[in-house]
Amino acid sequence: MRFPTVISRVRGAAALAVVVLAGCASGLPFQSSASRQGAGEPAPPTEMITEQLIQVQKQQAALQRHQDISSLIVKNPAPYAIGAGDVLSIVVWDHPELAGAGMPAAAAAADAGTLAASVAANATPPGFVVDHMGRIQFPFAGLLPVQGLTEEQARALLSQKLAKYIANPNVTLRVQSYRSKRVYIDGEVKSPGLQAINDIPMSLTEALNRAGGLLPTADQSRIAIERDKKHYDINLRELVQKGIDPNTVMLAPGDLVRVHSRDESKVFVSGEVITPKSLTMHDGRLTLNEALGESGGVSPLSGDARQIYVVRKTPEGATRVFQLDARETGSIAMAEEFELRPKDVVYVAASPLANWNRNLSLLFPGALTSAVGVTTRP
C-alpha cells in the first residue's frame, strides 16, 4: 500500500530536517559564517538595539559631523581686489586723448579695423589688462601696480600719478571683466563648471544659484568644499538648524565645490519584507523604521519580527551587526530613533517555521505534496 510508504518518507524527512535545521532556527547565521568561509576569523558580534546604544550612536554621529568651518564663515566680506588677468575700464574726464589707450594688451599698436578683429578672435574686451605681475600701463602714469587693490584704491593711486601732469584729474576706474578669480562647481547642479568671482561676494548659495541651482537628485546634506588640500563637508539643513546663515559661507579663489547625489547614500533592505529594495536617504537621514515602512514592513507570512538586523561597514573596514526585536515594548520608538548610514544593509530573517518549510522542500522536493495528495484521495 502506498500510503504508509509516503508517510514513512515524510516522517524520515521531518526527522532529518530537525537535525539539519537545528542551527538554522535561530535566524540569521552570523555565528557560523567563519566556519563556512574556512578562514577561522571570528564572526562580528550582534549588538542589540537599545536606548543606550541609540544614545551612544547619536553622540558618535555628532562628533563625526562636528567640523570646524570657522575659516569659511565671513560675515562682512571685503570688497573685490583686482587680480592678474582682470580687464579695467579707465576714463579720465576732459581728456579724451587718453581714451584711446584702453585697448587689449595684445593689440595696443593695431589700427581700428585690426583691433576689432583681434578683440573678436581673442574674446578680450577693450580695456587695460592687468599683466601677470599685477600691473597696467597707462599714459603719464607708466607701469601702475594694481593687483590686490580695490577699485577705489586703484583709482586714488592713478589720480595721484596723473596729478603731476594734469590738474585735478577726474578719474573713473572700474573692473570691466573679471577673469582673475574663479571657483569650480561640480556635481548635482544644472550648469556645472567655472564661475568667476566678481564684485558680488561669492558665497556658497551664490555659487549654487549661478550654477543654475540644485537638481532634484542633489543631497543637500553632502556638499563638499575643497580648499588648500583641506576637505569641508557642508550640510545646508544642519547649518540652518544651528542658526548659521549659508550666505556667510564664503568661497575663495580656486575652491572646488561638489554637490553629491542622493544615489550615493543608498540603504539596502532585503530578507523577509514585502518589497526588498534600495532606498535613498532623505538629505542624509533615514531611520530603521522609515526603511522598513518604505519596504512594506516585515512579511507576516515568513518574517521573524524578533530578528531585524542592520549590517554596517565602518570607515575602518570592520563590520558591525545590530539586531532589533520588534516584539519588545518600545521597539517601534527605538526603530524610529535608530538612524541608518549610507550603504547600510537592513535584513529581516525568516521565521523558524519558514526556514523549516524551505529547507525541507529543498531536501525532499514533493514529499509533503505527495503526502497531502494521498491523504485527500477518496
Side-chain angles (χ1 to χ4, degrees), residues 67-77 202-204 223-228 230-235 239 244-252 255-257:
Q67 188 179 26
D68 185 14
I69 61 171
S70 58
S71 59
L72 304 179
I73 305 297
V74 180
K75 295 184 178 180
N76 297 309
M202 182 66 82
S203 64
L204 177 59
I223 299 179
I225 298 179
E226 300 283 347
R227 175 185 299 178
D228 297 333
K230 293 183 179 180
H231 181 88
Y232 301 91
D233 290 316
I234 304 297
N235 187 331
L239 287 181
I244 301 176
D245 186 0
N247 288 308
T248 61
V249 179
M250 304 304 300
L251 301 181
D255 280 358
L256 170 63
V257 179

Side-chain angles (χ1 to χ4, degrees), residues 51-325:
E51 292 289 348
Q52 293 77 11
L53 176 65
I54 292 175
Q55 292 300 324
V56 172
Q57 295 253 1
K58 286 184 176 181
Q59 294 174 0
Q60 293 176 349
L63 291 176
Q64 291 177 357
R65 288 196 298 262
H66 180 70
Q67 188 179 26
D68 185 14
I69 61 171
S70 58
S71 59
L72 304 179
I73 305 297
V74 180
K75 295 184 178 180
N76 297 309
Y80 180 83
I82 299 171
D86 287 342
V87 181
L88 307 182
S89 173
I90 302 175
V91 176
V92 182
W93 296 96
D94 297 329
H95 291 274
E97 70 277 7
L98 301 179
M103 298 184 294
D111 56 20
T114 306
L115 172 62
S118 177
V119 170
N122 296 308
T124 303
F128 295 88
V129 181
V130 181
D131 64 17
H132 67 285
M133 298 183 67
R135 307 170 302 179
I136 61 171
Q137 188 169 5
F138 196 83
F140 302 120
L143 291 173
L144 191 69
V146 295
Q147 184 172 0
L149 302 180
T150 64
E151 290 181 344
E152 182 64 23
Q153 292 170 338
R155 185 200 65 79
L157 179 61
L158 180 58
S159 298
Q160 180 183 355
K161 295 289 185 179
L162 294 179
K164 300 177 181 179
Y165 308 97
I166 302 173
N168 299 322
N170 185 9
V171 179
T172 299
L173 183 149
R174 64 183 180 86
V175 180
Q176 182 171 319
S177 180
Y178 299 89
R179 304 191 306 170
S180 63
K181 303 176 179 67
R182 298 179 180 182
V183 297
Y184 187 78
I185 314 296
D186 189 22
E188 300 302 304
V189 292
K190 292 183 178 179
S191 302
L194 291 173
Q195 295 291 336
I197 299 178
N198 54 22
D199 56 330
I200 300 176
M202 182 66 82
S203 64
L204 177 59
T205 53
E206 176 71 17
L208 296 177
N209 288 332
R210 291 190 192 181
L214 299 175
L215 294 175
T217 56
D219 188 351
Q220 297 186 26
S221 67
R222 298 184 64 209
I223 299 179
I225 298 179
E226 300 283 347
R227 175 185 299 178
D228 297 333
K229 299 182 179 180
K230 293 183 179 180
H231 181 88
Y232 301 91
D233 290 316
I234 304 297
N235 187 331
L236 290 181
R237 292 181 179 271
E238 192 175 82
L239 287 181
V240 175
Q241 293 175 356
K242 292 181 178 180
I244 301 176
D245 186 0
N247 288 308
T248 61
V249 179
M250 304 304 300
L251 301 181
D255 280 358
L256 170 63
V257 179
R258 177 172 178 80
V259 182
H260 289 274
S261 172
R262 292 173 56 192
D263 292 337
E264 300 176 13
S265 303
K266 284 190 174 183
V267 170
F268 307 94
V269 184
S270 63
E272 305 304 317
V273 292
I274 300 298
T275 309
K277 61 172 63 175
S278 60
L279 304 173
T280 56
M281 305 187 76
H282 309 302
D283 292 326
R285 186 179 185 276
L286 185 68
T287 65
L288 177 57
N289 192 38
E290 292 171 339
L292 292 174
E294 294 188 27
S295 301
V298 178
S299 173
L301 299 178
S302 59
D304 188 352
R306 299 170 300 177
Q307 300 186 84
I308 300 175
Y309 297 92
V310 177
V311 183
R312 174 175 301 166
K313 200 76 172 180
T314 64
E316 295 77 16
T319 301
R320 299 184 67 181
V321 181
F322 305 95
Q323 180 182 355
L324 175 69
D325 186 351

Side-chain angles (χ1 to χ4, degrees), residues 1-10:
M1 187 174 183
R2 187 181 179 186
F3 180 75
T5 304
V6 175
I7 293 298
S8 62
R9 289 182 181 178
V10 174

